[in-house]
Amino acid sequence: MLAKFLSHIIFKVSGWKVVGRIPANVPKCIMIAAPHTSNWDFLYARCAFYIMGVDVRFTIKKEAIKWPILGPWIQYMGALPVDRSKNNSLVQAMVDIFNQNEKMVIMITPEGTRKYQPRWRRGFYHAAVGANVPICLGYLDYAKKEAGVGPIFYPTGNIEKDLEDILAFYRTKTAKFPENGVR
């Protein structure tokens, strides 16, 4: 596969490595992609998933896939277009997608922006609970040049405690722009 070959080259040239994997016994999960502080994050994350052989999907504004040249390419890379202008339930849409597929990894950036965000959006958590799937803690650590999958997290229903446990993991990772990373 050309994408996997190119991803290996990108990682070799830039000195990055892949650490960890999604366990084979986890066919479905929400993959948190954090910290998210740069447009470079997408390149390294997507390359890592090509190297791992994971068919990761990600949500993106539906307007992005309308671009004449980039739109089809973005969809090929795993885009799930969403209409953010309507008051629709993205959480329910993700639950439905999980229920319709035997294998599915949906990557989410809960910060919702590349700037510092003291409060993460919680839709990923509610989608994981609704679909009864675990949350994989995917990360980029620019200090170590690692793109990886950390622990698999099973929501307990205590959202405040669970989010604090998840955030504690990400506080150990260095963002491209640390001042915008998880604190």
Side-chain angles (χ1 to χ4, degrees):
M1 171 187 217
L2 180 60
K4 187 172 187 171
F5 175 74
L6 291 174
S7 296
H8 277 289
I9 290 172
I10 290 168
F11 268 44
K12 181 78 171 168
V13 168
S14 64
W16 279 70
K17 63 185 172 196
V18 172
V19 177
R21 299 254 188 262
I22 299 173
N25 65 344
V26 178
K28 300 180 190 183
C29 67
I30 297 273
M31 175 67 66
I32 293 178
H36 178 44
T37 66
S38 165
N39 286 330
W40 286 101
D41 297 346
F42 180 77
L43 172 71
Y44 289 120
R46 193 63 193 99
C47 285
F49 287 115
Y50 281 133
I51 291 168
M52 286 187 254
V54 174
D55 182 23
V56 69
R57 307 296 303 270
F58 56 93
T59 58
I60 191 167
K61 294 182 276 193
K62 73 172 185 162
E63 293 79 17
I65 65 164
K66 292 183 180 178
W67 297 339
I69 297 171
L70 286 178
W73 181 70
I74 292 169
Q75 282 191 292
Y76 169 77
M77 292 181 56
L80 294 170
V82 294
D83 185 356
R84 295 180 5 170
S85 67
K86 294 182 180 174
N87 189 13
N88 52 12
S89 175
L90 182 55
V91 169
Q92 188 56 52
M94 285 194 291
V95 169
D96 292 343
I97 289 168
F98 278 116
N99 289 338
Q100 295 164 7
N101 291 278
E102 289 184 31
K103 286 186 77 173
M104 177 62 59
V105 176
I106 299 178
M107 183 170 57
I108 302 290
T109 56
E111 293 138 316
T113 179
R114 289 175 300 278
K115 299 201 180 328
Y116 173 66
Q117 183 55 258
R119 180 171 153 72
W120 278 11
R121 294 180 179 181
R122 297 168 177 224
F124 77 93
Y125 185 90
H126 297 295
V129 170
N132 195 29
V133 299
I135 300 167
C136 290
L137 306 186
Y139 67 92
L140 295 173
D141 189 326
Y142 281 82
K144 296 178 182 176
K145 291 191 173 185
E146 290 180 354
V149 177
I152 307 300
F153 190 87
Y154 292 88
T156 66
N158 182 344
I159 191 169
E160 297 305 326
K161 180 177 182 331
D162 288 352
L163 284 176
E164 184 49 44
D165 291 346
I166 290 169
L167 289 168
F169 170 78
Y170 285 106
R171 287 184 188 109
T172 69
K173 307 304 174 202
T174 304
K176 175 138 178 86
F177 299 106
E179 67 277 9
N180 294 337
V182 178
R183 297 181 197 163

